[in-house]
Amino acid sequence: MKIIEDLISSIPESGKDTFVKEVRIGPFWTGVWSKYCGLASTTFIHEPNMPPPIKDAGSLTNKNIAELCNFAYSDCLLQASVGIAAINSAIKIDLNQCHEINAAEVLFEKGKDKKVVVVGHFPFVKKLGKVAKKLWIVERRPQVGDIPANEAARVIPEADIVAITGTALINRTMESLLTLCPKKSLVMILGASTPLSSVWFDYGVDFISGTRVFNPELILRMVSEGVTFRQVHGRGIKLLTIQKEKYNQS
């Protein structure tokens, strides 16, 4: 969980006392509005005999953002979803370091004639498969042609490019996946759950692709109405990418 610890540590101390304005948990996306508005994939397993997934549900807006960010450490997937959305709501994104390009475009360019592993079954993978030399899709809930998540260690070390869903922060597999990436490979973290932070560069990541919410009221309403990310695209958010090679440390 060192990545989560480092991401939280990167939030300015002055911002950690900011109180949470709103939390929305929809079937596909979770949104937290504090200083900014952040998103994360809603990840949820709950059986009738289990305790409430979020102990303090109903009073989350009484907490400061530091408290909600700590939810990211939780073993409860739904609570961790809120925690990652909270981190995304508190991180200050340097827009001067961002390029308005989505992850799919980067992968289509960089993945041409290369061996590519994508962790997470994204909508663009069919098109990516047409340009890549070899494409493996690693998925916890595999579809036809996907590789089960427990076989990640078999294919990731073979890849020239590894793209990992930011949701791996929620299910606590991110660090183990990153350790499988060969040093020669290009590594990307992608998806709306991905914090747009240079912290990733310390973990061997080359591209960070996530979202910036520009219209919190609209996005939170849409989250509550059950939109998929495809329905949100172009409506109150921008898809942004930070590249290590072009990152200005000053």
PDB file of all heavy atoms in Angstrom, residues 122-160:
ATOM      1  N   PHE A 122     -10.903  -2.929 -21.363  1.00  0.00           N
ATOM      2  CA  PHE A 122     -11.372  -1.606 -21.777  1.00  0.00           C
ATOM      3  C   PHE A 122     -12.080  -1.704 -23.137  1.00  0.00           C
ATOM      4  O   PHE A 122     -11.805  -2.612 -23.931  1.00  0.00           O
ATOM      5  CB  PHE A 122     -10.202  -0.634 -21.867  1.00  0.00           C
ATOM      6  CG  PHE A 122      -9.646  -0.218 -20.539  1.00  0.00           C
ATOM      7  CD1 PHE A 122      -8.658  -0.964 -19.907  1.00  0.00           C
ATOM      8  CD2 PHE A 122     -10.127   0.927 -19.901  1.00  0.00           C
ATOM      9  CE1 PHE A 122      -8.149  -0.579 -18.680  1.00  0.00           C
ATOM     10  CE2 PHE A 122      -9.622   1.315 -18.671  1.00  0.00           C
ATOM     11  CZ  PHE A 122      -8.637   0.563 -18.053  1.00  0.00           C
ATOM     12  N   PRO A 123     -12.970  -0.756 -23.432  1.00  0.00           N
ATOM     13  CA  PRO A 123     -13.706  -0.796 -24.703  1.00  0.00           C
ATOM     14  C   PRO A 123     -12.823  -0.759 -25.945  1.00  0.00           C
ATOM     15  O   PRO A 123     -13.231  -1.221 -27.007  1.00  0.00           O
ATOM     16  CB  PRO A 123     -14.603   0.459 -24.625  1.00  0.00           C
ATOM     17  CG  PRO A 123     -14.752   0.744 -23.177  1.00  0.00           C
ATOM     18  CD  PRO A 123     -13.453   0.334 -22.555  1.00  0.00           C
ATOM     19  N   PHE A 124     -11.611  -0.201 -25.816  1.00  0.00           N
ATOM     20  CA  PHE A 124     -10.759  -0.019 -26.995  1.00  0.00           C
ATOM     21  C   PHE A 124      -9.905  -1.242 -27.332  1.00  0.00           C
ATOM     22  O   PHE A 124      -9.156  -1.231 -28.309  1.00  0.00           O
ATOM     23  CB  PHE A 124      -9.837   1.187 -26.800  1.00  0.00           C
ATOM     24  CG  PHE A 124      -8.922   1.079 -25.612  1.00  0.00           C
ATOM     25  CD1 PHE A 124      -7.814   0.251 -25.619  1.00  0.00           C
ATOM     26  CD2 PHE A 124      -9.179   1.818 -24.466  1.00  0.00           C
ATOM     27  CE1 PHE A 124      -6.975   0.151 -24.529  1.00  0.00           C
ATOM     28  CE2 PHE A 124      -8.351   1.729 -23.359  1.00  0.00           C
ATOM     29  CZ  PHE A 124      -7.245   0.890 -23.402  1.00  0.00           C
ATOM     30  N   VAL A 125      -9.976  -2.320 -26.546  1.00  0.00           N
ATOM     31  CA  VAL A 125      -9.003  -3.405 -26.717  1.00  0.00           C
ATOM     32  C   VAL A 125      -9.155  -4.121 -28.063  1.00  0.00           C
ATOM     33  O   VAL A 125      -8.166  -4.609 -28.628  1.00  0.00           O
ATOM     34  CB  VAL A 125      -9.059  -4.416 -25.554  1.00  0.00           C
ATOM     35  CG1 VAL A 125      -8.591  -3.765 -24.268  1.00  0.00           C
ATOM     36  CG2 VAL A 125     -10.449  -5.028 -25.402  1.00  0.00           C
ATOM     37  N   LYS A 126     -10.380  -4.192 -28.598  1.00  0.00           N
ATOM     38  CA  LYS A 126     -10.563  -4.859 -29.884  1.00  0.00           C
ATOM     39  C   LYS A 126      -9.782  -4.128 -30.981  1.00  0.00           C
ATOM     40  O   LYS A 126      -9.097  -4.752 -31.801  1.00  0.00           O
ATOM     41  CB  LYS A 126     -12.043  -4.921 -30.237  1.00  0.00           C
ATOM     42  CG  LYS A 126     -12.334  -5.707 -31.502  1.00  0.00           C
ATOM     43  CD  LYS A 126     -13.839  -5.829 -31.750  1.00  0.00           C
ATOM     44  CE  LYS A 126     -14.135  -6.634 -33.007  1.00  0.00           C
ATOM     45  NZ  LYS A 126     -15.602  -6.761 -33.239  1.00  0.00           N
ATOM     46  N   LYS A 127      -9.862  -2.799 -30.972  1.00  0.00           N
ATOM     47  CA  LYS A 127      -9.127  -2.006 -31.958  1.00  0.00           C
ATOM     48  C   LYS A 127      -7.625  -2.120 -31.727  1.00  0.00           C
ATOM     49  O   LYS A 127      -6.841  -2.195 -32.679  1.00  0.00           O
ATOM     50  CB  LYS A 127      -9.583  -0.550 -31.886  1.00  0.00           C
ATOM     51  CG  LYS A 127      -8.940   0.346 -32.926  1.00  0.00           C
ATOM     52  CD  LYS A 127      -9.487   1.768 -32.856  1.00  0.00           C
ATOM     53  CE  LYS A 127      -8.803   2.678 -33.865  1.00  0.00           C
ATOM     54  NZ  LYS A 127      -9.312   4.081 -33.773  1.00  0.00           N
ATOM     55  N   LEU A 128      -7.221  -2.128 -30.455  1.00  0.00           N
ATOM     56  CA  LEU A 128      -5.796  -2.244 -30.136  1.00  0.00           C
ATOM     57  C   LEU A 128      -5.240  -3.573 -30.644  1.00  0.00           C
ATOM     58  O   LEU A 128      -4.096  -3.638 -31.112  1.00  0.00           O
ATOM     59  CB  LEU A 128      -5.594  -2.128 -28.623  1.00  0.00           C
ATOM     60  CG  LEU A 128      -4.160  -2.235 -28.098  1.00  0.00           C
ATOM     61  CD1 LEU A 128      -3.265  -1.147 -28.693  1.00  0.00           C
ATOM     62  CD2 LEU A 128      -4.145  -2.138 -26.568  1.00  0.00           C
ATOM     63  N   GLY A 129      -6.039  -4.613 -30.562  1.00  0.00           N
ATOM     64  CA  GLY A 129      -5.602  -5.923 -31.031  1.00  0.00           C
ATOM     65  C   GLY A 129      -5.286  -5.961 -32.508  1.00  0.00           C
ATOM     66  O   GLY A 129      -4.515  -6.818 -32.981  1.00  0.00           O
ATOM     67  N   LYS A 130      -5.842  -5.032 -33.278  1.00  0.00           N
ATOM     68  CA  LYS A 130      -5.602  -4.990 -34.723  1.00  0.00           C
ATOM     69  C   LYS A 130      -4.256  -4.372 -35.084  1.00  0.00           C
ATOM     70  O   LYS A 130      -3.756  -4.562 -36.196  1.00  0.00           O
ATOM     71  CB  LYS A 130      -6.723  -4.223 -35.417  1.00  0.00           C
ATOM     72  CG  LYS A 130      -8.082  -4.915 -35.316  1.00  0.00           C
ATOM     73  CD  LYS A 130      -9.163  -4.082 -35.986  1.00  0.00           C
ATOM     74  CE  LYS A 130     -10.520  -4.773 -35.888  1.00  0.00           C
ATOM     75  NZ  LYS A 130     -11.607  -3.950 -36.515  1.00  0.00           N
ATOM     76  N   VAL A 131      -3.671  -3.585 -34.138  1.00  0.00           N
ATOM     77  CA  VAL A 131      -2.392  -2.935 -34.441  1.00  0.00           C
ATOM     78  C   VAL A 131      -1.226  -3.553 -33.667  1.00  0.00           C
ATOM     79  O   VAL A 131      -0.074  -3.443 -34.097  1.00  0.00           O
ATOM     80  CB  VAL A 131      -2.458  -1.408 -34.161  1.00  0.00           C
ATOM     81  CG1 VAL A 131      -3.527  -0.759 -35.013  1.00  0.00           C
ATOM     82  CG2 VAL A 131      -2.698  -1.117 -32.689  1.00  0.00           C
ATOM     83  N   ALA A 132      -1.520  -4.198 -32.536  1.00  0.00           N
ATOM     84  CA  ALA A 132      -0.454  -4.796 -31.729  1.00  0.00           C
ATOM     85  C   ALA A 132       0.045  -6.085 -32.362  1.00  0.00           C
ATOM     86  O   ALA A 132      -0.700  -6.798 -33.040  1.00  0.00           O
ATOM     87  CB  ALA A 132      -0.965  -5.071 -30.317  1.00  0.00           C
ATOM     88  N   LYS A 133       1.314  -6.389 -32.141  1.00  0.00           N
ATOM     89  CA  LYS A 133       1.876  -7.668 -32.595  1.00  0.00           C
ATOM     90  C   LYS A 133       1.215  -8.812 -31.843  1.00  0.00           C
ATOM     91  O   LYS A 133       0.891  -9.860 -32.418  1.00  0.00           O
ATOM     92  CB  LYS A 133       3.388  -7.664 -32.369  1.00  0.00           C
ATOM     93  CG  LYS A 133       4.082  -8.951 -32.774  1.00  0.00           C
ATOM     94  CD  LYS A 133       5.579  -8.840 -32.524  1.00  0.00           C
ATOM     95  CE  LYS A 133       6.289 -10.135 -32.910  1.00  0.00           C
ATOM     96  NZ  LYS A 133       7.761 -10.032 -32.657  1.00  0.00           N
ATOM     97  N   LYS A 134       1.038  -8.618 -30.535  1.00  0.00           N
ATOM     98  CA  LYS A 134       0.378  -9.592 -29.668  1.00  0.00           C
ATOM     99  C   LYS A 134      -0.291  -8.828 -28.544  1.00  0.00           C
ATOM    100  O   LYS A 134       0.289  -7.903 -27.986  1.00  0.00           O
ATOM    101  CB  LYS A 134       1.413 -10.577 -29.091  1.00  0.00           C
ATOM    102  CG  LYS A 134       0.864 -11.579 -28.100  1.00  0.00           C
ATOM    103  CD  LYS A 134      -0.051 -12.603 -28.745  1.00  0.00           C
ATOM    104  CE  LYS A 134      -0.498 -13.658 -27.752  1.00  0.00           C
ATOM    105  NZ  LYS A 134      -1.439 -14.628 -28.331  1.00  0.00           N
ATOM    106  N   LEU A 135      -1.533  -9.202 -28.228  1.00  0.00           N
ATOM    107  CA  LEU A 135      -2.265  -8.512 -27.174  1.00  0.00           C
ATOM    108  C   LEU A 135      -2.836  -9.526 -26.198  1.00  0.00           C
ATOM    109  O   LEU A 135      -3.518 -10.466 -26.594  1.00  0.00           O
ATOM    110  CB  LEU A 135      -3.409  -7.672 -27.762  1.00  0.00           C
ATOM    111  CG  LEU A 135      -4.334  -6.980 -26.749  1.00  0.00           C
ATOM    112  CD1 LEU A 135      -3.565  -5.926 -25.939  1.00  0.00           C
ATOM    113  CD2 LEU A 135      -5.530  -6.345 -27.451  1.00  0.00           C
ATOM    114  N   TRP A 136      -2.533  -9.306 -24.915  1.00  0.00           N
ATOM    115  CA  TRP A 136      -3.137 -10.097 -23.848  1.00  0.00           C
ATOM    116  C   TRP A 136      -4.004  -9.176 -22.992  1.00  0.00           C
ATOM    117  O   TRP A 136      -3.558  -8.096 -22.598  1.00  0.00           O
ATOM    118  CB  TRP A 136      -2.075 -10.716 -22.938  1.00  0.00           C
ATOM    119  CG  TRP A 136      -1.149 -11.698 -23.569  1.00  0.00           C
ATOM    120  CD1 TRP A 136      -1.377 -13.021 -23.806  1.00  0.00           C
ATOM    121  CD2 TRP A 136       0.200 -11.447 -23.996  1.00  0.00           C
ATOM    122  NE1 TRP A 136      -0.263 -13.614 -24.361  1.00  0.00           N
ATOM    123  CE2 TRP A 136       0.715 -12.674 -24.487  1.00  0.00           C
ATOM    124  CE3 TRP A 136       1.016 -10.316 -24.022  1.00  0.00           C
ATOM    125  CZ2 TRP A 136       2.009 -12.788 -24.993  1.00  0.00           C
ATOM    126  CZ3 TRP A 136       2.299 -10.429 -24.517  1.00  0.00           C
ATOM    127  CH2 TRP A 136       2.783 -11.647 -25.003  1.00  0.00           C
ATOM    128  N   ILE A 137      -5.216  -9.596 -22.693  1.00  0.00           N
ATOM    129  CA  ILE A 137      -6.091  -8.851 -21.790  1.00  0.00           C
ATOM    130  C   ILE A 137      -6.194  -9.642 -20.493  1.00  0.00           C
ATOM    131  O   ILE A 137      -6.653 -10.792 -20.492  1.00  0.00           O
ATOM    132  CB  ILE A 137      -7.510  -8.657 -22.378  1.00  0.00           C
ATOM    133  CG1 ILE A 137      -7.435  -8.098 -23.797  1.00  0.00           C
ATOM    134  CG2 ILE A 137      -8.340  -7.759 -21.460  1.00  0.00           C
ATOM    135  CD1 ILE A 137      -6.755  -6.768 -23.909  1.00  0.00           C
ATOM    136  N   VAL A 138      -5.766  -9.054 -19.403  1.00  0.00           N
ATOM    137  CA  VAL A 138      -5.822  -9.694 -18.087  1.00  0.00           C
ATOM    138  C   VAL A 138      -7.011  -9.116 -17.339  1.00  0.00           C
ATOM    139  O   VAL A 138      -7.131  -7.894 -17.196  1.00  0.00           O
ATOM    140  CB  VAL A 138      -4.514  -9.456 -17.302  1.00  0.00           C
ATOM    141  CG1 VAL A 138      -4.603 -10.070 -15.911  1.00  0.00           C
ATOM    142  CG2 VAL A 138      -3.322 -10.037 -18.062  1.00  0.00           C
ATOM    143  N   GLU A 139      -7.885  -9.978 -16.864  1.00  0.00           N
ATOM    144  CA  GLU A 139      -9.148  -9.504 -16.298  1.00  0.00           C
ATOM    145  C   GLU A 139      -9.585 -10.384 -15.124  1.00  0.00           C
ATOM    146  O   GLU A 139      -9.493 -11.614 -15.187  1.00  0.00           O
ATOM    147  CB  GLU A 139     -10.227  -9.499 -17.400  1.00  0.00           C
ATOM    148  CG  GLU A 139     -11.617  -9.110 -16.972  1.00  0.00           C
ATOM    149  CD  GLU A 139     -11.697  -7.739 -16.337  1.00  0.00           C
ATOM    150  OE1 GLU A 139     -11.338  -6.749 -16.996  1.00  0.00           O
ATOM    151  OE2 GLU A 139     -12.115  -7.678 -15.165  1.00  0.00           O
ATOM    152  N   ARG A 140     -10.029  -9.728 -14.031  1.00  0.00           N
ATOM    153  CA  ARG A 140     -10.523 -10.471 -12.861  1.00  0.00           C
ATOM    154  C   ARG A 140     -11.824 -11.201 -13.175  1.00  0.00           C
ATOM    155  O   ARG A 140     -12.121 -12.239 -12.587  1.00  0.00           O
ATOM    156  CB  ARG A 140     -10.733  -9.503 -11.681  1.00  0.00           C
ATOM    157  CG  ARG A 140      -9.415  -8.969 -11.114  1.00  0.00           C
ATOM    158  CD  ARG A 140      -9.648  -7.840 -10.133  1.00  0.00           C
ATOM    159  NE  ARG A 140     -10.263  -8.288  -8.897  1.00  0.00           N
ATOM    160  CZ  ARG A 140      -9.588  -8.746  -7.850  1.00  0.00           C
ATOM    161  NH1 ARG A 140      -8.274  -8.849  -7.910  1.00  0.00           N
ATOM    162  NH2 ARG A 140     -10.212  -9.098  -6.750  1.00  0.00           N
ATOM    163  N   ARG A 141     -12.616 -10.631 -14.079  1.00  0.00           N
ATOM    164  CA  ARG A 141     -13.837 -11.298 -14.549  1.00  0.00           C
ATOM    165  C   ARG A 141     -13.700 -11.487 -16.069  1.00  0.00           C
ATOM    166  O   ARG A 141     -14.267 -10.717 -16.853  1.00  0.00           O
ATOM    167  CB  ARG A 141     -15.064 -10.462 -14.193  1.00  0.00           C
ATOM    168  CG  ARG A 141     -15.331 -10.402 -12.691  1.00  0.00           C
ATOM    169  CD  ARG A 141     -16.508  -9.504 -12.372  1.00  0.00           C
ATOM    170  NE  ARG A 141     -16.174  -8.109 -12.627  1.00  0.00           N
ATOM    171  CZ  ARG A 141     -17.007  -7.092 -12.398  1.00  0.00           C
ATOM    172  NH1 ARG A 141     -18.214  -7.330 -11.924  1.00  0.00           N
ATOM    173  NH2 ARG A 141     -16.636  -5.845 -12.647  1.00  0.00           N
ATOM    174  N   PRO A 142     -12.931 -12.477 -16.481  1.00  0.00           N
ATOM    175  CA  PRO A 142     -12.553 -12.597 -17.890  1.00  0.00           C
ATOM    176  C   PRO A 142     -13.728 -12.821 -18.831  1.00  0.00           C
ATOM    177  O   PRO A 142     -14.668 -13.551 -18.530  1.00  0.00           O
ATOM    178  CB  PRO A 142     -11.607 -13.800 -17.896  1.00  0.00           C
ATOM    179  CG  PRO A 142     -11.872 -14.540 -16.636  1.00  0.00           C
ATOM    180  CD  PRO A 142     -12.333 -13.526 -15.648  1.00  0.00           C
ATOM    181  N   GLN A 143     -13.661 -12.121 -19.961  1.00  0.00           N
ATOM    182  CA  GLN A 143     -14.562 -12.354 -21.068  1.00  0.00           C
ATOM    183  C   GLN A 143     -13.883 -13.312 -22.043  1.00  0.00           C
ATOM    184  O   GLN A 143     -12.740 -13.728 -21.822  1.00  0.00           O
ATOM    185  CB  GLN A 143     -14.904 -11.022 -21.753  1.00  0.00           C
ATOM    186  CG  GLN A 143     -15.537 -10.002 -20.810  1.00  0.00           C
ATOM    187  CD  GLN A 143     -15.829  -8.675 -21.478  1.00  0.00           C
ATOM    188  OE1 GLN A 143     -16.147  -8.619 -22.659  1.00  0.00           O
ATOM    189  NE2 GLN A 143     -15.719  -7.582 -20.720  1.00  0.00           N
ATOM    190  N   VAL A 144     -14.579 -13.667 -23.101  1.00  0.00           N
ATOM    191  CA  VAL A 144     -14.018 -14.596 -24.080  1.00  0.00           C
ATOM    192  C   VAL A 144     -12.692 -14.041 -24.626  1.00  0.00           C
ATOM    193  O   VAL A 144     -12.621 -12.901 -25.080  1.00  0.00           O
ATOM    194  CB  VAL A 144     -15.007 -14.835 -25.240  1.00  0.00           C
ATOM    195  CG1 VAL A 144     -14.369 -15.728 -26.302  1.00  0.00           C
ATOM    196  CG2 VAL A 144     -16.296 -15.475 -24.724  1.00  0.00           C
ATOM    197  N   GLY A 145     -11.650 -14.844 -24.539  1.00  0.00           N
ATOM    198  CA  GLY A 145     -10.340 -14.441 -25.037  1.00  0.00           C
ATOM    199  C   GLY A 145      -9.458 -13.778 -23.999  1.00  0.00           C
ATOM    200  O   GLY A 145      -8.258 -13.591 -24.237  1.00  0.00           O
ATOM    201  N   ASP A 146     -10.016 -13.386 -22.853  1.00  0.00           N
ATOM    202  CA  ASP A 146      -9.226 -12.762 -21.790  1.00  0.00           C
ATOM    203  C   ASP A 146      -8.447 -13.815 -20.999  1.00  0.00           C
ATOM    204  O   ASP A 146      -8.776 -15.006 -21.016  1.00  0.00           O
ATOM    205  CB  ASP A 146     -10.128 -11.995 -20.822  1.00  0.00           C
ATOM    206  CG  ASP A 146     -10.784 -10.782 -21.446  1.00  0.00           C
ATOM    207  OD1 ASP A 146     -10.399 -10.416 -22.565  1.00  0.00           O
ATOM    208  OD2 ASP A 146     -11.688 -10.202 -20.804  1.00  0.00           O
ATOM    209  N   ILE A 147      -7.450 -13.335 -20.285  1.00  0.00           N
ATOM    210  CA  ILE A 147      -6.650 -14.182 -19.408  1.00  0.00           C
ATOM    211  C   ILE A 147      -7.052 -13.899 -17.961  1.00  0.00           C
ATOM    212  O   ILE A 147      -7.129 -12.730 -17.564  1.00  0.00           O
ATOM    213  CB  ILE A 147      -5.149 -13.894 -19.616  1.00  0.00           C
ATOM    214  CG1 ILE A 147      -4.736 -14.322 -21.026  1.00  0.00           C
ATOM    215  CG2 ILE A 147      -4.300 -14.620 -18.581  1.00  0.00           C
ATOM    216  CD1 ILE A 147      -3.340 -13.894 -21.392  1.00  0.00           C
ATOM    217  N   PRO A 148      -7.316 -14.915 -17.150  1.00  0.00           N
ATOM    218  CA  PRO A 148      -7.674 -14.675 -15.752  1.00  0.00           C
ATOM    219  C   PRO A 148      -6.570 -13.933 -15.011  1.00  0.00           C
ATOM    220  O   PRO A 148      -5.377 -14.092 -15.312  1.00  0.00           O
ATOM    221  CB  PRO A 148      -7.859 -16.091 -15.186  1.00  0.00           C
ATOM    222  CG  PRO A 148      -8.092 -16.965 -16.376  1.00  0.00           C
ATOM    223  CD  PRO A 148      -7.322 -16.341 -17.502  1.00  0.00           C
ATOM    224  N   ALA A 149      -6.970 -13.123 -14.047  1.00  0.00           N
ATOM    225  CA  ALA A 149      -6.016 -12.278 -13.316  1.00  0.00           C
ATOM    226  C   ALA A 149      -4.909 -13.082 -12.652  1.00  0.00           C
ATOM    227  O   ALA A 149      -3.781 -12.594 -12.520  1.00  0.00           O
ATOM    228  CB  ALA A 149      -6.763 -11.451 -12.285  1.00  0.00           C
ATOM    229  N   ASN A 150      -5.207 -14.305 -12.239  1.00  0.00           N
ATOM    230  CA  ASN A 150      -4.183 -15.104 -11.559  1.00  0.00           C
ATOM    231  C   ASN A 150      -3.086 -15.594 -12.495  1.00  0.00           C
ATOM    232  O   ASN A 150      -2.125 -16.226 -12.067  1.00  0.00           O
ATOM    233  CB  ASN A 150      -4.811 -16.273 -10.799  1.00  0.00           C
ATOM    234  CG  ASN A 150      -5.589 -17.227 -11.692  1.00  0.00           C
ATOM    235  OD1 ASN A 150      -5.540 -17.136 -12.909  1.00  0.00           O
ATOM    236  ND2 ASN A 150      -6.317 -18.145 -11.066  1.00  0.00           N
ATOM    237  N   GLU A 151      -3.225 -15.300 -13.796  1.00  0.00           N
ATOM    238  CA  GLU A 151      -2.179 -15.661 -14.749  1.00  0.00           C
ATOM    239  C   GLU A 151      -1.372 -14.448 -15.206  1.00  0.00           C
ATOM    240  O   GLU A 151      -0.596 -14.527 -16.169  1.00  0.00           O
ATOM    241  CB  GLU A 151      -2.798 -16.364 -15.956  1.00  0.00           C
ATOM    242  CG  GLU A 151      -3.419 -17.716 -15.640  1.00  0.00           C
ATOM    243  CD  GLU A 151      -3.857 -18.452 -16.888  1.00  0.00           C
ATOM    244  OE1 GLU A 151      -3.206 -18.279 -17.945  1.00  0.00           O
ATOM    245  OE2 GLU A 151      -4.854 -19.181 -16.817  1.00  0.00           O
ATOM    246  N   ALA A 152      -1.535 -13.317 -14.515  1.00  0.00           N
ATOM    247  CA  ALA A 152      -0.813 -12.101 -14.909  1.00  0.00           C
ATOM    248  C   ALA A 152       0.691 -12.312 -14.931  1.00  0.00           C
ATOM    249  O   ALA A 152       1.396 -11.791 -15.806  1.00  0.00           O
ATOM    250  CB  ALA A 152      -1.176 -10.956 -13.962  1.00  0.00           C
ATOM    251  N   ALA A 153       1.203 -13.085 -13.986  1.00  0.00           N
ATOM    252  CA  ALA A 153       2.649 -13.298 -13.893  1.00  0.00           C
ATOM    253  C   ALA A 153       3.200 -14.064 -15.087  1.00  0.00           C
ATOM    254  O   ALA A 153       4.406 -14.039 -15.347  1.00  0.00           O
ATOM    255  CB  ALA A 153       2.990 -14.035 -12.603  1.00  0.00           C
ATOM    256  N   ARG A 154       2.347 -14.723 -15.843  1.00  0.00           N
ATOM    257  CA  ARG A 154       2.789 -15.467 -17.021  1.00  0.00           C
ATOM    258  C   ARG A 154       3.009 -14.552 -18.222  1.00  0.00           C
ATOM    259  O   ARG A 154       3.935 -14.780 -19.018  1.00  0.00           O
ATOM    260  CB  ARG A 154       1.758 -16.551 -17.362  1.00  0.00           C
ATOM    261  CG  ARG A 154       2.064 -17.320 -18.636  1.00  0.00           C
ATOM    262  CD  ARG A 154       1.123 -18.496 -18.821  1.00  0.00           C
ATOM    263  NE  ARG A 154      -0.248 -18.086 -19.033  1.00  0.00           N
ATOM    264  CZ  ARG A 154      -0.750 -17.765 -20.218  1.00  0.00           C
ATOM    265  NH1 ARG A 154       0.027 -17.754 -21.305  1.00  0.00           N
ATOM    266  NH2 ARG A 154      -2.021 -17.440 -20.341  1.00  0.00           N
ATOM    267  N   VAL A 155       2.184 -13.508 -18.374  1.00  0.00           N
ATOM    268  CA  VAL A 155       2.239 -12.715 -19.600  1.00  0.00           C
ATOM    269  C   VAL A 155       2.896 -11.345 -19.441  1.00  0.00           C
ATOM    270  O   VAL A 155       3.537 -10.856 -20.370  1.00  0.00           O
ATOM    271  CB  VAL A 155       0.815 -12.542 -20.202  1.00  0.00           C
ATOM    272  CG1 VAL A 155       0.271 -13.890 -20.632  1.00  0.00           C
ATOM    273  CG2 VAL A 155      -0.134 -11.858 -19.226  1.00  0.00           C
ATOM    274  N   ILE A 156       2.748 -10.707 -18.287  1.00  0.00           N
ATOM    275  CA  ILE A 156       3.303  -9.359 -18.126  1.00  0.00           C
ATOM    276  C   ILE A 156       4.813  -9.312 -18.380  1.00  0.00           C
ATOM    277  O   ILE A 156       5.300  -8.401 -19.065  1.00  0.00           O
ATOM    278  CB  ILE A 156       2.930  -8.760 -16.751  1.00  0.00           C
ATOM    279  CG1 ILE A 156       1.431  -8.429 -16.719  1.00  0.00           C
ATOM    280  CG2 ILE A 156       3.750  -7.495 -16.461  1.00  0.00           C
ATOM    281  CD1 ILE A 156       0.939  -7.852 -15.403  1.00  0.00           C
ATOM    282  N   PRO A 157       5.607 -10.277 -17.875  1.00  0.00           N
ATOM    283  CA  PRO A 157       7.048 -10.209 -18.134  1.00  0.00           C
ATOM    284  C   PRO A 157       7.428 -10.329 -19.614  1.00  0.00           C
ATOM    285  O   PRO A 157       8.559 -10.024 -19.992  1.00  0.00           O
ATOM    286  CB  PRO A 157       7.600 -11.400 -17.332  1.00  0.00           C
ATOM    287  CG  PRO A 157       6.602 -11.613 -16.243  1.00  0.00           C
ATOM    288  CD  PRO A 157       5.276 -11.337 -16.894  1.00  0.00           C
ATOM    289  N   GLU A 158       6.480 -10.754 -20.464  1.00  0.00           N
ATOM    290  CA  GLU A 158       6.748 -10.905 -21.892  1.00  0.00           C
ATOM    291  C   GLU A 158       6.447  -9.632 -22.682  1.00  0.00           C
ATOM    292  O   GLU A 158       6.754  -9.548 -23.874  1.00  0.00           O
ATOM    293  CB  GLU A 158       5.887 -12.047 -22.469  1.00  0.00           C
ATOM    294  CG  GLU A 158       6.132 -13.401 -21.836  1.00  0.00           C
ATOM    295  CD  GLU A 158       7.549 -13.897 -22.091  1.00  0.00           C
ATOM    296  OE1 GLU A 158       8.050 -13.701 -23.218  1.00  0.00           O
ATOM    297  OE2 GLU A 158       8.150 -14.449 -21.156  1.00  0.00           O
ATOM    298  N   ALA A 159       5.857  -8.643 -22.044  1.00  0.00           N
ATOM    299  CA  ALA A 159       5.303  -7.492 -22.764  1.00  0.00           C
ATOM    300  C   ALA A 159       6.318  -6.388 -23.020  1.00  0.00           C
ATOM    301  O   ALA A 159       7.227  -6.144 -22.224  1.00  0.00           O
ATOM    302  CB  ALA A 159       4.121  -6.924 -21.984  1.00  0.00           C
ATOM    303  N   ASP A 160       6.118  -5.705 -24.156  1.00  0.00           N
ATOM    304  CA  ASP A 160       6.843  -4.468 -24.433  1.00  0.00           C
ATOM    305  C   ASP A 160       6.134  -3.283 -23.797  1.00  0.00           C
ATOM    306  O   ASP A 160       6.770  -2.293 -23.430  1.00  0.00           O
ATOM    307  CB  ASP A 160       6.922  -4.229 -25.949  1.00  0.00           C
ATOM    308  CG  ASP A 160       7.599  -5.362 -26.695  1.00  0.00           C
ATOM    309  OD1 ASP A 160       8.710  -5.734 -26.291  1.00  0.00           O
ATOM    310  OD2 ASP A 160       7.008  -5.873 -27.665  1.00  0.00           O
TER     311      ASP A 160
END
